[in-house]
Amino acid sequence: MTNTTFFIETYGCQMNKSRSEHIAQVMIQNGYQLIEDKKRADILLFNTCAVREHASEKAISNIQKTIKDLNKTSRYPIIVIFGCLSQFLKNRLVQRVPGAQIVIGTSNIDHIPQFIEEHTRKKKKILDFNLPSSSQVFDESGYLRNSSHISAYLPITYGCDNFCSYCVVPYTTGPQRSKPLRTILTDIEKIIQDGYKEIILLGQNVNSYGLDLDLKNGFEVLLQAIEQNFHNSSFWIRFLTSHPKDMRPSIVDIVKNSSIMAHYFHLPIQSGSDRILSAMNRGYTRDHYLKLAKYIRQNLPDSGIGTDMIVGFPGETERDFLDTLNIVQEVHFDQAYTYIYSSRSGTAAYQLPDHLPLAEKKKRLQFLNQTLSDIHQIKLSNWVGKKTKILIDQIEGMNSSGRTTDNQRIYLPNTNFILGQVISVVVIKTLKGKLYGELVLS
Ligand code: SF4
């Protein structure tokens, strides 16, 4: 055993956070000690993200500043940078952060303890930017806990084969690799033993789970295996993200017939215009999306549909933007995350002509958000008087709150509940964009 301490700083998505948890376990198994104080650590690990240019630049300047500040106090910890941004920038990142001793991409992160040992022994910089290959098995057990100890994020795939024209992820994570089914089932067992009440299966495109393992309709196989093994347990299963290209009615049917699967589908549309969807290389049409949404609404009327949307993609005309507004009116999304298109060098869309002025993109975003907010208000008022079940996951100040299976948050004006409890409530009012409820005893 060693007394050498380490600290991990993580940028980006839940998947990245989950990988940091995994790396922390690998480091601990190799005798290192995890600490919360960055200033005292002997090894600093930075798990980086490349999705947005602005956020990437901010991460680089944070790392530079951390090293500079530590060096001023005569501390010289070993600096390890890994993850999507190192994979994307490779030697350009090494040049910009000369104080880092180990810079590696997304592939060989399990070897970080060996890289540290090699660096310590040979006193040389270690660089490794091999992209994972499709034959490299993704068998990282472990999951990401949330602070309230209610929800656990469990990656089931890593990487992406889709190459949407605006996205860097396939370049930074390599091809999709699915975690073996038996590992996922063992992870779920562990999560339940640890007392979690909600498990969120994570992947860039969960619907294509198993394609790389030669499993036909692998996501259905996985969901059915989870149902068979755990249908008597008291927890909810969610999954993120569903890709409309690969989402199938059979997945909706499994959710419908399950007692543990939450009635919520995060199905990013990105644009309502066929012309823009094609330029984005999304692999589906507006009509295909509408048919999927209709199938969900008809077969699971109480389910929520969430989405992501990008405005101002290169060449997006007013007509294209109107198509996006129209699809918002047609689907009546229950949740939406909206973004202004931000161009990312190295992607196919970066080369496209007709980049819109920022002012126009902002105007469209504002318009879209207003339309979504108007619909949201109507949807909230429709909740008043409804009875539903919620999973209590927040107790703050004088209020408790929980989420319904379709991911709607409901607030309760008291704290006589326990985190993780599932209770029946009736919605009594909506106020300032929030729903308030009361406990129903029978
Ligand atoms: S599906 Fe498209 S947007 Fe999502 S990670 Fe893959 S390439 Fe990126």
Coordinates of all heavy atoms in Angstrom, one line a residue, residues 152-211:
A152 N -28.7 6.1 -9.6 CA -27.3 5.7 -10.0 C -27.3 5.6 -11.6 O -28.2 5.2 -12.2 CB -27.1 4.3 -9.5
Y153 N -26.2 6.2 -12.1 CA -26.1 6.2 -13.6 C -25.2 5.0 -14.0 O -24.0 4.9 -13.5 CB -25.4 7.5 -14.0 CG -26.3 8.7 -13.8 CD1 -26.4 9.4 -12.6 CD2 -27.2 9.2 -14.9 CE1 -27.2 10.5 -12.4 CE2 -28.0 10.2 -14.7 CZ -28.0 10.9 -13.5 OH -28.9 12.0 -13.3
L154 N -25.7 4.2 -14.9 CA -25.0 3.0 -15.2 C -24.7 3.0 -16.8 O -25.6 2.7 -17.6 CB -25.8 1.8 -14.8 CG -25.2 0.4 -15.2 CD1 -23.9 0.2 -14.6 CD2 -26.2 -0.7 -14.8
P155 N -23.4 3.2 -17.2 CA -23.1 3.2 -18.6 C -23.3 1.7 -19.2 O -22.9 0.8 -18.5 CB -21.7 3.6 -18.7 CG -21.4 4.2 -17.4 CD -22.3 3.6 -16.4
I156 N -24.0 1.6 -20.3 CA -24.1 0.3 -20.9 C -23.4 0.3 -22.3 O -23.2 -0.8 -22.8 CB -25.6 -0.1 -21.1 CG1 -26.4 0.9 -22.0 CG2 -26.3 -0.2 -19.7 CD1 -27.7 0.4 -22.4
T157 N -23.1 1.4 -22.8 CA -22.3 1.4 -24.1 C -21.3 2.6 -23.9 O -21.5 3.5 -23.1 CB -23.1 1.7 -25.3 OG1 -23.7 3.0 -25.3 CG2 -24.2 0.7 -25.6
Y158 N -20.2 2.5 -24.7 CA -19.3 3.6 -24.8 C -18.9 3.8 -26.2 O -18.7 2.8 -27.0 CB -18.1 3.3 -23.9 CG -17.2 4.6 -23.8 CD1 -17.6 5.6 -23.0 CD2 -16.0 4.7 -24.5 CE1 -16.8 6.8 -22.9 CE2 -15.2 5.8 -24.4 CZ -15.6 6.8 -23.6 OH -14.8 8.0 -23.4
G159 N -18.8 5.1 -26.7 CA -18.5 5.3 -28.1 C -19.8 5.5 -28.9 O -20.9 5.3 -28.5
C160 N -19.6 5.9 -30.2 CA -20.7 6.1 -31.0 C -20.3 6.0 -32.5 O -19.2 6.4 -32.9 CB -21.2 7.6 -30.8 SG -22.7 7.9 -31.8
D161 N -21.2 5.3 -33.3 CA -20.9 5.1 -34.7 C -21.7 6.0 -35.6 O -21.7 5.9 -36.8 CB -21.4 3.7 -35.1 CG -20.6 2.6 -34.3 OD1 -19.4 2.8 -34.1 OD2 -21.2 1.6 -33.9
N162 N -22.4 7.0 -35.0 CA -23.3 7.7 -35.9 C -22.8 8.9 -36.7 O -23.4 9.3 -37.7 CB -24.5 8.2 -35.0 CG -25.3 7.0 -34.6 OD1 -25.7 6.2 -35.4 ND2 -25.6 6.9 -33.3
F163 N -21.8 9.6 -36.2 CA -21.2 10.7 -36.9 C -22.2 11.7 -37.4 O -22.3 12.1 -38.5 CB -20.4 10.2 -38.2 CG -19.1 9.5 -37.8 CD1 -19.1 8.1 -37.6 CD2 -18.0 10.2 -37.5 CE1 -18.0 7.4 -37.2 CE2 -16.8 9.5 -37.1 CZ -16.8 8.2 -36.9
C164 N -23.0 12.2 -36.4 CA -23.9 13.4 -36.7 C -22.9 14.5 -37.1 O -21.8 14.6 -36.5 CB -24.7 13.8 -35.5 SG -25.8 12.4 -35.0
S165 N -23.3 15.3 -38.1 CA -22.2 16.1 -38.7 C -21.7 17.3 -37.8 O -20.7 17.8 -38.1 CB -22.8 16.8 -40.0 OG -23.9 17.6 -39.7
Y166 N -22.4 17.5 -36.7 CA -22.0 18.6 -35.8 C -21.2 18.1 -34.6 O -20.8 18.9 -33.7 CB -23.2 19.4 -35.3 CG -24.3 18.5 -34.7 CD1 -24.2 18.1 -33.4 CD2 -25.3 18.0 -35.5 CE1 -25.2 17.2 -32.9 CE2 -26.3 17.1 -35.0 CZ -26.2 16.7 -33.7 OH -27.1 15.9 -33.2
C167 N -21.0 16.8 -34.4 CA -20.6 16.2 -33.1 C -19.2 15.6 -33.2 O -18.8 14.9 -34.1 CB -21.7 15.1 -32.8 SG -21.3 14.4 -31.2
V168 N -18.5 15.9 -32.1 CA -17.1 15.4 -32.0 C -17.0 14.0 -31.3 O -16.0 13.3 -31.4 CB -16.2 16.3 -31.2 CG1 -16.0 17.6 -31.9 CG2 -16.6 16.5 -29.8
V169 N -18.1 13.5 -30.7 CA -18.0 12.3 -29.9 C -17.5 11.1 -30.6 O -16.6 10.4 -30.0 CB -19.4 12.0 -29.2 CG1 -19.5 10.7 -28.6 CG2 -19.7 13.1 -28.2
P170 N -17.9 10.8 -31.8 CA -17.3 9.6 -32.5 C -15.8 9.7 -32.6 O -15.1 8.7 -32.6 CB -18.0 9.5 -33.8 CG -19.3 10.3 -33.6 CD -18.9 11.4 -32.7
Y171 N -15.3 11.0 -32.8 CA -13.8 11.1 -33.0 C -13.1 11.0 -31.7 O -11.9 10.7 -31.6 CB -13.5 12.5 -33.6 CG -14.3 12.8 -34.9 CD1 -15.4 13.5 -34.9 CD2 -13.8 12.3 -36.1 CE1 -16.1 13.8 -36.1 CE2 -14.5 12.5 -37.3 CZ -15.6 13.3 -37.2 OH -16.3 13.5 -38.4
T172 N -13.8 11.3 -30.6 CA -13.1 11.3 -29.3 C -13.3 10.0 -28.5 O -12.5 9.7 -27.6 CB -13.6 12.4 -28.4 OG1 -15.0 12.3 -28.1 CG2 -13.3 13.8 -29.0
T173 N -14.4 9.2 -28.8 CA -14.6 8.0 -28.0 C -14.5 6.7 -28.8 O -14.5 5.6 -28.3 CB -16.0 8.0 -27.4 OG1 -17.0 8.1 -28.5 CG2 -16.3 9.2 -26.5
G174 N -14.4 6.9 -30.2 CA -14.2 5.7 -31.0 C -15.6 5.0 -31.2 O -16.6 5.5 -30.8
P175 N -15.5 3.8 -31.9 CA -16.8 3.1 -32.2 C -17.6 2.7 -31.0 O -17.0 2.5 -29.9 CB -16.3 1.9 -33.0 CG -14.9 1.8 -32.7 CD -14.3 3.1 -32.3
Q176 N -18.9 2.4 -31.2 CA -19.7 1.9 -30.0 C -19.2 0.6 -29.6 O -19.0 -0.3 -30.3 CB -21.1 1.8 -30.4 CG -22.0 1.2 -29.3 CD -23.4 1.0 -29.7 OE1 -24.1 2.0 -29.8 NE2 -23.9 -0.2 -29.8
R177 N -19.0 0.4 -28.3 CA -18.8 -0.9 -27.6 C -19.7 -1.1 -26.5 O -19.9 -0.2 -25.7 CB -17.3 -0.9 -27.1 CG -16.3 -1.1 -28.3 CD -15.0 -0.5 -28.0 NE -15.1 0.9 -27.8 CZ -14.6 1.6 -26.8 NH1 -14.0 0.9 -25.8 NH2 -14.7 2.9 -26.7
S178 N -20.4 -2.2 -26.5 CA -21.4 -2.5 -25.5 C -20.9 -3.3 -24.3 O -20.1 -4.2 -24.5 CB -22.6 -3.3 -26.1 OG -23.1 -2.6 -27.2
K179 N -21.3 -2.9 -23.2 CA -20.9 -3.6 -22.0 C -21.6 -5.0 -22.0 O -22.8 -5.1 -22.3 CB -21.3 -2.8 -20.7 CG -20.7 -3.3 -19.4 CD -21.3 -2.6 -18.3 CE -20.5 -1.3 -18.0 NZ -20.9 -0.7 -16.7
P180 N -20.9 -6.1 -21.7 CA -21.5 -7.4 -21.7 C -22.7 -7.4 -20.8 O -22.7 -6.8 -19.7 CB -20.4 -8.3 -21.2 CG -19.1 -7.6 -21.5 CD -19.4 -6.2 -21.4
L181 N -23.7 -8.1 -21.2 CA -25.0 -8.2 -20.5 C -24.8 -8.7 -19.0 O -25.4 -8.1 -18.1 CB -25.9 -9.1 -21.2 CG -27.4 -9.0 -21.0 CD1 -28.2 -9.3 -22.3 CD2 -27.9 -9.8 -19.9
R182 N -24.0 -9.7 -18.9 CA -23.8 -10.2 -17.5 C -23.2 -9.2 -16.6 O -23.5 -9.1 -15.4 CB -22.9 -11.5 -17.5 CG -21.5 -11.3 -18.0 CD -20.6 -12.5 -17.9 NE -19.3 -12.2 -18.1 CZ -18.8 -11.6 -19.2 NH1 -19.6 -11.2 -20.1 NH2 -17.5 -11.3 -19.3
T183 N -22.3 -8.3 -17.1 CA -21.7 -7.3 -16.3 C -22.7 -6.3 -15.9 O -22.8 -5.8 -14.7 CB -20.5 -6.5 -17.0 OG1 -19.7 -7.5 -17.6 CG2 -19.8 -5.6 -16.2
I184 N -23.6 -5.9 -16.8 CA -24.7 -5.0 -16.5 C -25.6 -5.5 -15.4 O -25.9 -4.8 -14.4 CB -25.5 -4.6 -17.7 CG1 -24.6 -4.0 -18.8 CG2 -26.7 -3.7 -17.4 CD1 -25.3 -3.7 -20.1
L185 N -25.9 -6.8 -15.5 CA -26.8 -7.4 -14.5 C -26.1 -7.5 -13.1 O -26.8 -7.2 -12.1 CB -27.3 -8.8 -14.9 CG -28.1 -8.9 -16.2 CD1 -28.5 -10.3 -16.5 CD2 -29.4 -8.0 -16.1
T186 N -24.8 -7.8 -13.1 CA -24.1 -7.8 -11.9 C -24.0 -6.4 -11.3 O -24.2 -6.2 -10.1 CB -22.6 -8.3 -12.1 OG1 -22.7 -9.5 -12.8 CG2 -21.9 -8.5 -10.8
D187 N -23.8 -5.4 -12.1 CA -23.8 -4.0 -11.7 C -25.1 -3.6 -11.0 O -25.2 -2.9 -10.0 CB -23.5 -3.0 -12.8 CG -22.0 -3.0 -13.2 OD1 -21.2 -3.4 -12.4 OD2 -21.7 -2.5 -14.3
I188 N -26.2 -4.0 -11.7 CA -27.6 -3.6 -11.2 C -27.8 -4.3 -9.8 O -28.3 -3.6 -8.9 CB -28.7 -4.1 -12.2 CG1 -28.6 -3.2 -13.4 CG2 -30.1 -3.9 -11.5 CD1 -29.6 -3.5 -14.5
E189 N -27.4 -5.5 -9.7 CA -27.5 -6.2 -8.4 C -26.8 -5.4 -7.3 O -27.3 -5.1 -6.2 CB -26.8 -7.5 -8.4 CG -27.7 -8.7 -8.2 CD -27.1 -10.0 -8.6 OE1 -26.0 -10.3 -8.1 OE2 -27.7 -10.7 -9.5
K190 N -25.5 -4.9 -7.6 CA -24.7 -4.2 -6.7 C -25.4 -2.8 -6.3 O -25.5 -2.4 -5.2 CB -23.4 -3.9 -7.3 CG -22.4 -3.0 -6.6 CD -21.5 -3.7 -5.6 CE -20.5 -2.9 -5.0 NZ -21.0 -1.9 -4.1
I191 N -26.0 -2.2 -7.4 CA -26.6 -0.9 -7.2 C -27.8 -1.0 -6.2 O -28.0 -0.2 -5.3 CB -27.1 -0.3 -8.5 CG1 -25.8 0.1 -9.4 CG2 -28.0 1.0 -8.3 CD1 -26.2 0.5 -10.8
I192 N -28.6 -2.1 -6.4 CA -29.7 -2.4 -5.5 C -29.3 -2.6 -4.1 O -29.8 -2.1 -3.2 CB -30.6 -3.5 -6.1 CG1 -31.2 -3.2 -7.4 CG2 -31.7 -3.9 -5.1 CD1 -31.8 -4.4 -8.1
Q193 N -28.2 -3.5 -4.0 CA -27.7 -3.7 -2.6 C -27.2 -2.4 -2.0 O -27.4 -2.3 -0.8 CB -26.5 -4.7 -2.7 CG -26.8 -6.1 -2.8 CD -25.6 -7.0 -3.2 OE1 -24.5 -6.5 -3.2 NE2 -25.9 -8.2 -3.7
D194 N -26.7 -1.5 -2.8 CA -26.2 -0.2 -2.2 C -27.4 0.7 -1.8 O -27.2 1.8 -1.4 CB -25.3 0.5 -3.2 CG -23.9 -0.2 -3.3 OD1 -23.7 -1.1 -2.4 OD2 -23.1 0.1 -4.2
G195 N -28.6 0.3 -2.1 CA -29.8 1.0 -1.7 C -30.3 2.1 -2.7 O -31.2 2.9 -2.3
Y196 N -29.9 2.1 -3.9 CA -30.4 3.1 -4.9 C -31.8 2.7 -5.3 O -32.2 1.6 -5.3 CB -29.5 3.2 -6.1 CG -28.2 4.0 -5.7 CD1 -27.2 3.3 -5.1 CD2 -28.2 5.3 -5.9 CE1 -26.0 4.0 -4.7 CE2 -27.1 6.0 -5.5 CZ -26.0 5.4 -4.9 OH -24.9 6.1 -4.6
K197 N -32.6 3.7 -5.7 CA -34.0 3.5 -6.0 C -34.3 3.8 -7.5 O -35.4 3.6 -8.0 CB -34.9 4.5 -5.2 CG -34.8 4.2 -3.7 CD -35.3 2.9 -3.3 CE -35.1 2.5 -1.9 NZ -35.3 1.1 -1.6
E198 N -33.3 4.3 -8.2 CA -33.5 4.6 -9.6 C -32.2 4.3 -10.3 O -31.1 4.7 -9.9 CB -33.9 6.1 -9.8 CG -34.1 6.5 -11.2 CD -34.5 7.9 -11.4 OE1 -33.8 8.8 -10.9 OE2 -35.6 8.1 -11.9
I199 N -32.3 3.6 -11.5 CA -31.1 3.3 -12.2 C -31.2 3.9 -13.6 O -32.3 3.6 -14.3 CB -30.8 1.8 -12.3 CG1 -30.7 1.2 -10.9 CG2 -29.6 1.4 -13.2 CD1 -30.5 -0.3 -10.8
I200 N -30.3 4.7 -14.0 CA -30.4 5.3 -15.4 C -29.3 4.6 -16.3 O -28.1 4.8 -16.0 CB -30.2 6.8 -15.3 CG1 -31.3 7.4 -14.4 CG2 -30.3 7.5 -16.7 CD1 -30.9 8.4 -13.4
L201 N -29.8 3.9 -17.2 CA -28.9 3.2 -18.2 C -28.4 4.3 -19.1 O -29.2 5.0 -19.7 CB -29.6 2.1 -19.0 CG -30.3 1.1 -18.1 CD1 -31.1 0.1 -19.0 CD2 -29.4 0.3 -17.2
L202 N -27.1 4.4 -19.3 CA -26.5 5.5 -20.1 C -25.8 5.0 -21.4 O -25.1 4.0 -21.3 CB -25.4 6.2 -19.3 CG -25.7 7.2 -18.3 CD1 -24.4 7.8 -17.8 CD2 -26.6 8.3 -18.8
G203 N -26.0 5.7 -22.5 CA -25.2 5.4 -23.7 C -25.5 6.5 -24.7 O -26.5 7.2 -24.5
Q204 N -24.6 6.8 -25.6 CA -24.9 7.8 -26.6 C -26.1 7.4 -27.4 O -26.8 8.3 -27.9 CB -23.7 7.9 -27.6 CG -22.4 8.2 -26.9 CD -22.3 9.5 -26.2 OE1 -23.3 10.3 -26.3 NE2 -21.3 9.8 -25.4
N205 N -26.4 6.1 -27.6 CA -27.5 5.7 -28.4 C -27.9 4.3 -27.8 O -27.5 3.3 -28.3 CB -27.1 5.6 -29.9 CG -28.2 5.0 -30.7 OD1 -29.3 4.7 -30.2 ND2 -27.8 4.8 -32.0
V206 N -28.6 4.3 -26.7 CA -28.9 3.0 -26.0 C -29.6 2.0 -26.9 O -29.5 0.8 -26.7 CB -29.7 3.2 -24.7 CG1 -28.9 3.9 -23.6 CG2 -31.0 4.0 -24.9
N207 N -30.4 2.6 -27.9 CA -31.2 1.7 -28.7 C -30.3 0.8 -29.6 O -30.8 -0.2 -30.1 CB -32.2 2.5 -29.6 CG -32.9 3.5 -28.9 OD1 -32.9 4.7 -29.2 ND2 -33.5 3.1 -27.8
S208 N -29.1 1.2 -29.8 CA -28.2 0.3 -30.6 C -27.3 -0.6 -29.7 O -26.4 -1.2 -30.2 CB -27.4 1.1 -31.6 OG -26.5 2.0 -30.9
Y209 N -27.7 -0.7 -28.4 CA -27.0 -1.6 -27.6 C -26.9 -3.0 -28.2 O -27.9 -3.5 -28.7 CB -27.7 -1.7 -26.2 CG -27.0 -2.8 -25.3 CD1 -25.9 -2.5 -24.6 CD2 -27.5 -4.1 -25.3 CE1 -25.2 -3.5 -23.9 CE2 -26.9 -5.1 -24.6 CZ -25.8 -4.8 -23.9 OH -25.1 -5.8 -23.1
G210 N -25.7 -3.5 -28.2 CA -25.5 -4.9 -28.6 C -25.2 -5.1 -30.0 O -24.8 -6.2 -30.4
L211 N -25.3 -4.1 -30.9 CA -25.0 -4.3 -32.3 C -23.6 -4.8 -32.5 O -23.3 -5.7 -33.3 CB -25.1 -2.9 -33.0 CG -26.5 -2.6 -33.6 CD1 -26.4 -1.2 -34.3 CD2 -27.0 -3.7 -34.5

